[in-house]
Amino acid sequence: MATVLMCRRFPRLSRVAAFSTTAKAKRGSGKSKRGKQDHPGTASTGTKSGATIQLLNPQDYRVLYNPSAYAKGRAGSRQHVDRDSSQALGDTFTDHGAMQAPQTFPTASSRALPPIRNALPKHRSSTLLEQTILATLYKEEAEKEKWEMHDSKEDPRMFQKGRPEYRSLSCDSSEPAQTLSAEEGDSILQSVAGCEGSPEIVTDYFHKLSRLPVEQHGALVSDPRFSALCHCAVTAIRLLSTPDLIRILKACVRLAVPPSHPLLDACEGEFCRRAWDMGLEQLLLVADCWRCLERGVPSYLGILFSYANLHWKDLTLPQFVQLVYIIGEGRRSPADLAQKVESMILKHLDSFTLEELGAICLGLFKSLTGMSDHVMRRIADRVSLQMEDMSTYALVNVLKMLRFTRMDHLPLMRELGKVIPARIPTTNIQGIMHISLTYSSLHFFDEGVLAAVATSLPSKVSYCRSKDAAKFLWSFGCLDYEPPNEQEFYSSLIKQIHRKLYEFRKFPEHLLTALLGLAFVKRFPEELIDFALREEFVQKTRDSRYDLHKDLFTLGKSVEIECPTYQGSLLPPQLCQEFAEMALSFAEQEIYIRPEIMEAMSLLESMLGGPEYVKNHMILPHTRSSDLEVRLAVDGHPIPFNFKDPVTGKKLKDMGVSLTDDLMSQLIKGRAHSQSPVEVENEARTLRQQRRDAAGTPCLGGTLIADAKSPGRCPESPPPFPVAQQPREVRLALQVSNRNHFCYGSKRLLGLHCLKRRQLRLLGYEVVEIPFWEWFPLLKRTRSEKLSYLHYKVFCPVLHARAG
């Protein structure tokens, strides 16, 4: 073991200082190979000065591919470790962020199988036994790296261990079988020439060779004699019975035959041809084999789904769960099965094991299949009662579907807060990420869970994909939570973002997600922001299949307001204008017309004297929420500023209301008012007119308007981001909020809305809260009560004290 000291300048970041990291590195050629695989293109990123601090081998964190990391600590059942696939059965989907294990043996690259006579070697200079010795050497080299390898995907097939019926529906490569010796395997390969034209012998050879030790499989698949055997199988494929053809496919699974192998091409075509003559049990078994081989077979899956639809009433419980699992692995949801799936879930809900419930939720989540609130709530009801007995992996799958359906199930979330913190230290990084993302997506704040995540994360952060790191930052920022170890938590994640910078070139949405999560909690890593706002990266976001303009706009404008010393890239003005127009169009259709905002707007116009005294708009368009802007002079009377049309000849309606003792008594103590609402408004109008006659109304530019017919005009709109507060003026930004601005069931603002209020104050505005828990009940009360409430909010003495 050697010690490497890596000390580099950390990117400019508020509240994060530079530091050095000492890590232990292993010697050996495998290290450099893996570094190239994990960091392709890092030399060409163009960010030579970027700070990248790599933990070569984090101490006290050695995680291998082990599904038990998601199981409860007290669970003693063995879990089968299968090659997990991020490639969809129905598509060529690949998770680019997951680490890939180095291939020990080369695979056959030729698409055409050679004739038998050309495939056989001229002499036995290299036997299978000799190749096995070479394989052992490769394995020993790989063992030097395995402690650093981490596959964060868990085994989605654990539900198959709960019932014996799944043995006939799934391909279990761990089934015990008598091991074949290397000498026997070599003897079989030498006999390949004699098997031509004999389907039974071909099947038998595949079955026997699949019993070779795992360490010999790589050498076998690359052996020319095995290619000759595959050629025999392709030649005789029409003569093989369906059970024999399935045996050959299962042998390919055990031997880890590459998914693009010509033999598999022939098998897929033959199974598609025979599908309608096969039983559902055989169809599901073959589909499971394709999944294990990581081969996309959309045509075969289409036939399977059509067959299942026709025979839906005959599906047994295990067949249904296996079908949903296959649907999820194929990443495709048959539209005609959606309603039938829900009916079947309700039918067997009490009979499913907890692992099967998790598998069903994962399958529907992966295939983007929606679920009705009723069905999801029924599942959540059962899970909340039996959570202690559920594996963490299955529980996380239920949370994925809960998040997908946007279901607010309070009993489940409360029980989760009791159960999950103790499991987090033994849960892998992707599981922790999905737990955090569930809380942020549902706006559910639980400090105990978030603190447990923050405590566990730094030691595991080197195993985060770019997506994982981004989602962690977003989750904590969205909930506006800074953990007790905030320095360590954020610095480790920012460091990982630098390390994975090459991934963001392909997945720009993840970098914007991460930077917004940081911006919510007032952290702005300037080197990463400069990278994200460069023209090249901005173009990548515009070419993305996701709509990223809102995130880009929010980030760019937030940097302008909150980072006065920032000297990096900024969004072009024309692009900001385009984004602002899009935000305005959305606000006019969805935000400005909300009843609670319209009611407040109407009452403020009546109270202050007309539409010129209040403006319903977005002061900060990049925050995508409305503000009711009001301006007051130092003496407390309102200033007109909202002139959409010429004011010449336009009579201003003086409808103001004063805060009398009786109104204050009603507002604060709840006593009945001695005057009617009409009398209150009339009294306010009289007082307002007297004050108008005594003095003119100051304008934004300093001009006085003696009466409503004065030709003087204020500017139509203020500068977009005023640098300093205008003298002798108080600008109010009234926030008519709703429940979506706060964490679930609380008065804790979400990160985006905290950011908005912070930036409004930086621009000189006084933020006035009109929270939903105060305003919504008043909407059902009298006009007088609503006017009293708004009058108190606008003319609060605290504002005048600040202005003075």
Side-chain angles (χ1 to χ4, degrees):
M1 301 292 287
T3 300
V4 178
L5 178 63
M6 302 181 67
C7 183
R8 300 188 64 181
R9 178 175 59 86
F10 200 83
R12 294 182 60 187
L13 172 66
S14 300
R15 304 193 297 184
V16 177
F19 60 91
S20 63
T21 300
T22 302
K24 292 185 178 181
K26 294 186 178 182
R27 296 188 184 272
S29 59
K31 187 62 160 182
S32 59
K33 291 179 182 178
R34 183 170 182 268
K36 293 178 181 178
Q37 290 174 355
D38 284 354
H39 304 277
T42 51
S44 60
T45 58
T47 57
K48 296 180 179 179
S49 61
T52 303
I53 303 175
Q54 182 178 6
L55 294 180
L56 300 178
N57 186 13
Q59 296 183 1
D60 301 325
Y61 186 62
R62 295 181 172 184
V63 180
L64 299 180
Y65 176 56
N66 179 13
S68 64
Y70 259 157
K72 295 183 299 179
R74 63 174 183 269
S77 61
R78 289 186 57 189
Q79 300 193 19
H80 167 55
V81 178
D82 247 328
R83 290 183 306 135
D84 190 47
S85 168
S86 59
Q87 181 181 13
L89 286 173
D91 203 350
T92 54
F93 174 85
T94 302
D95 190 343
H96 299 275
M99 292 187 177
Q100 302 295 327
Q103 295 183 356
T104 306
F105 299 97
T107 58
S109 59
S110 174
R111 296 284 298 178
L113 287 168
I116 299 177
R117 59 180 177 273
N118 294 334
L120 293 174
K122 295 181 179 179
H123 55 82
R124 293 185 57 188
S125 59
S126 176
T127 65
L128 184 61
L129 180 60
E130 293 170 340
Q131 295 180 39
T132 301
I133 296 174
L134 182 61
T136 303
L137 295 176
Y138 277 114
K139 182 181 179 182
E140 291 176 354
E141 183 68 21
E143 285 291 323
K144 297 178 181 178
E145 296 184 2
K146 76 174 186 177
W147 292 117
E148 294 177 26
M149 295 179 59
H150 174 75
D151 189 343
S152 58
K153 289 184 176 293
E154 296 299 336
D155 185 4
R157 303 158 63 84
M158 282 306 301
F159 69 93
Q160 296 172 351
K161 306 300 177 183
R163 298 180 191 269
E165 294 90 336
Y166 287 112
R167 294 175 185 172
S168 60
L169 303 175
S170 60
C171 180
D172 187 355
S173 59
S174 68
E175 292 176 354
Q178 185 178 357
T179 303
L180 190 73
S181 67
E183 291 82 359
E184 291 175 306
D186 198 64
S187 175
I188 291 174
L189 291 177
Q190 286 301 115
S191 306
V192 167
C195 72
E196 191 168 10
S198 177
E200 295 79 9
I201 296 178
V202 171
T203 304
D204 187 60
Y205 280 178
F206 270 99
H207 177 67
K208 289 180 178 178
L209 290 173
S210 69
R211 289 159 41 201
L212 284 168
V214 175
E215 59 269 16
Q216 298 178 21
H217 290 174
L220 173 66
V221 173
S222 62
D223 194 307
R225 295 170 293 177
F226 181 77
S227 297
L229 180 62
C230 293
H231 183 83
C232 289
V234 172
T235 303
I237 198 165
R238 291 292 179 95
L239 304 175
L240 292 166
S241 67
T242 299
D244 284 345
L245 190 58
I246 292 176
R247 288 180 70 195
I248 290 178
L249 189 63
K250 292 176 72 173
C252 291
V253 173
R254 295 190 184 96
L255 294 172
V257 173
S260 60
H261 199 283
L263 173 60
L264 299 184
D265 292 342
C267 287
E268 180 185 352
E270 186 62 19
F271 277 119
C272 287
R273 189 182 70 84
R274 300 185 187 191
W276 290 102
D277 298 323
M278 297 164 60
L280 183 58
E281 190 173 271
Q282 290 179 321
L283 290 170
L284 290 171
L285 173 58
V286 171
D288 195 63
C289 290
W290 291 130
R291 182 265 171 198
C292 293
L293 288 164
E294 305 181 10
R295 180 181 172 94
V297 287
S299 297
Y300 179 83
L301 291 184
I303 297 172
L304 168 62
F305 299 151
S306 297
Y307 188 100
N309 194 22
L310 290 176
H311 299 83
W312 191 261
K313 293 182 179 179
D314 300 328
L315 258 67
T316 64
L317 186 151
Q319 288 175 344
F320 168 71
V321 178
Q322 182 72 10
L323 178 64
V324 174
Y325 163 73
I326 294 297
I327 289 174
E329 295 305 306
R331 304 302 201 275
R332 295 186 179 183
S333 173
D336 52 348
L337 292 184
Q339 187 172 358
K340 293 182 177 180
V341 167
E342 289 203 357
S343 299
M344 190 70 81
I345 292 174
L346 292 176
K347 177 182 177 181
H348 296 294
L349 183 60
D350 294 331
S351 301
F352 291 129
T353 66
L354 294 173
E355 296 302 314
E356 286 173 333
L357 273 181
I360 290 171
C361 288
L362 180 61
L364 298 179
F365 175 80
K366 284 185 174 181
S367 61
L368 301 179
T369 304
M371 184 185 292
S372 67
D373 287 353
H374 173 65
V375 176
M376 188 67 242
R377 194 168 293 280
R378 289 285 305 278
I379 293 175
D381 286 341
R382 185 181 170 193
V383 170
S384 62
L385 296 175
Q386 298 178 280
M387 192 177 297
E388 284 281 359
D389 301 322
M390 197 172 195
S391 73
T392 307
Y393 179 68
L395 180 56
V396 167
N397 291 335
V398 173
L399 294 182
K400 290 178 182 178
M401 202 61 198
L402 197 73
R403 187 177 84 227
F404 183 72
T405 57
R406 307 292 297 179
M407 172 65 66
D408 54 338
H409 196 280
L410 193 58
L412 186 146
M413 297 303 293
R414 285 177 175 169
E415 186 65 19
L416 187 67
K418 300 175 184 177
V419 172
I420 208 65
R423 298 190 190 184
I424 284 177
T426 56
T427 303
N428 69 21
I429 205 70
Q430 282 193 11
I432 299 174
M433 180 273 288
H434 282 295
I435 292 169
S436 302
L437 192 58
T438 298
Y439 277 89
S440 63
S441 297
L442 299 179
H443 298 170
F444 200 93
F445 179 78
D446 189 315
E447 187 170 7
V449 174
L450 296 177
V453 170
T455 300
S456 179
L457 185 64
S459 63
K460 304 181 181 184
V461 75
S462 59
Y463 300 109
C464 283
R465 303 168 300 171
S466 58
K467 175 182 178 179
D468 300 326
K471 297 298 185 183
F472 278 122
L473 290 172
W474 170 264
S475 298
F476 278 67
C478 177
L479 296 173
D480 190 40
Y481 177 66
E482 295 182 274
N485 62 332
E486 61 176 281
Q487 184 71 18
E488 180 188 23
F489 175 79
Y490 282 109
S491 62
S492 64
L493 282 170
I494 292 172
K495 176 177 60 180
Q496 185 68 2
I497 294 292
H498 275 275
R499 183 185 299 170
K500 295 292 184 180
L501 200 59
Y502 66 92
E503 292 184 13
F504 294 120
R505 296 179 180 274
K506 192 163 188 177
F507 304 104
E509 63 274 11
H510 296 331
L511 181 57
L512 291 182
T513 297
L515 293 178
L516 278 179
L518 288 167
F520 291 161
V521 291
K522 299 182 285 186
R523 284 176 164 81
F524 296 89
E526 296 187 2
E527 291 181 11
L528 290 176
I529 291 172
D530 176 64
F531 178 83
L533 298 182
R534 291 177 189 171
E535 182 179 356
E536 175 189 1
F537 189 85
V538 170
Q539 187 57 46
K540 287 183 180 296
T541 65
R542 306 206 77 184
D543 296 338
S544 172
R545 61 193 176 115
Y546 300 104
D547 184 8
L548 303 178
H549 73 271
K550 293 184 292 186
D551 294 344
L552 195 63
F553 187 35
T554 301
L555 177 65
K557 284 301 179 183
S558 294
V559 171
E560 290 184 23
I561 297 172
E562 298 203 49
C563 302
T565 61
Y566 172 74
Q567 297 180 351
S569 303
L570 293 172
L571 290 178
Q574 63 272 19
L575 193 60
C576 291
Q577 181 64 28
E578 176 186 339
F579 291 159
E581 291 173 357
M582 295 171 66
L584 177 61
S585 175
F586 172 78
E588 290 175 343
Q589 299 176 24
E590 301 290 339
I591 300 178
Y592 296 161
I593 60 174
R594 289 176 180 167
E596 66 272 17
I597 296 177
M598 295 291 291
E599 179 71 2
M601 177 75 175
S602 174
L603 290 169
L604 285 171
E605 289 178 353
S606 175
M607 182 179 77
L608 298 175
E612 292 81 7
Y613 293 91
V614 59
K615 186 174 184 180
N616 180 11
H617 68 134
M618 293 186 293
I619 298 174
L620 302 175
H622 61 276
T623 60
R624 303 183 296 281
S625 58
S626 176
D627 305 273
L628 295 179
E629 184 176 356
V630 172
R631 299 182 185 177
L632 301 177
V634 172
D635 61 359
H637 63 272
I639 301 174
F641 67 98
N642 183 25
F643 298 106
K644 296 181 180 179
D645 301 309
V647 297
T648 304
K650 185 175 181 180
K651 181 74 177 289
L652 296 180
K653 296 181 180 180
D654 193 351
M655 301 284 290
V657 59
S658 297
L659 192 62
T660 64
D661 292 339
D662 289 332
L663 286 176
M664 281 295 295
S665 176
Q666 181 187 8
L667 179 65
I668 298 175
K669 299 181 181 180
R671 293 201 302 264
H673 204 288
S674 59
Q675 294 176 291
S676 68
V678 176
E679 292 173 329
V680 172
E681 198 163 336
N682 289 338
E683 177 186 342
R685 186 182 297 110
T686 301
L687 293 174
R688 165 66 68 187
Q689 188 62 46
Q690 293 174 354
R691 189 165 57 189
R692 266 190 175 279
D693 294 340
T697 303
C699 177
L700 176 63
T703 306
L704 293 180
I705 301 178
D707 54 44
K709 298 182 180 181
S710 173
R713 291 183 55 199
C714 296
E716 293 187 1
S717 61
F721 294 136
V723 178
Q725 175 68 53
Q726 293 284 349
R728 301 177 63 79
E729 177 184 82
V730 178
R731 296 187 179 187
L732 307 182
L734 280 71
Q735 307 299 303
V736 183
S737 59
N738 58 57
R739 288 175 175 82
N740 293 332
H741 296 176
F742 297 84
C743 292
Y744 180 87
S746 77
K747 299 178 181 180
R748 183 188 185 91
L749 275 170
L750 295 172
L752 175 62
H753 301 284
C754 289
L755 173 142
K756 174 187 177 180
R757 286 152 175 77
R758 187 172 70 238
Q759 293 179 3
L760 284 172
R761 294 186 182 98
L762 286 173
L763 297 177
Y765 284 89
E766 291 288 345
V767 177
V768 178
E769 298 289 351
I770 304 181
F772 71 89
W773 58 85
E774 294 178 357
W775 182 238
F776 280 28
L778 279 173
L779 294 178
K780 301 178 181 180
R781 306 296 291 272
T782 65
R783 176 182 176 86
S784 175
E785 290 174 297
K786 288 181 281 191
L787 284 170
S788 299
Y789 174 81
L790 292 175
H791 194 285
Y792 177 78
K793 287 289 185 177
V794 171
F795 297 103
C796 178
V798 175
L799 297 179
H800 298 290
R802 289 180 181 177

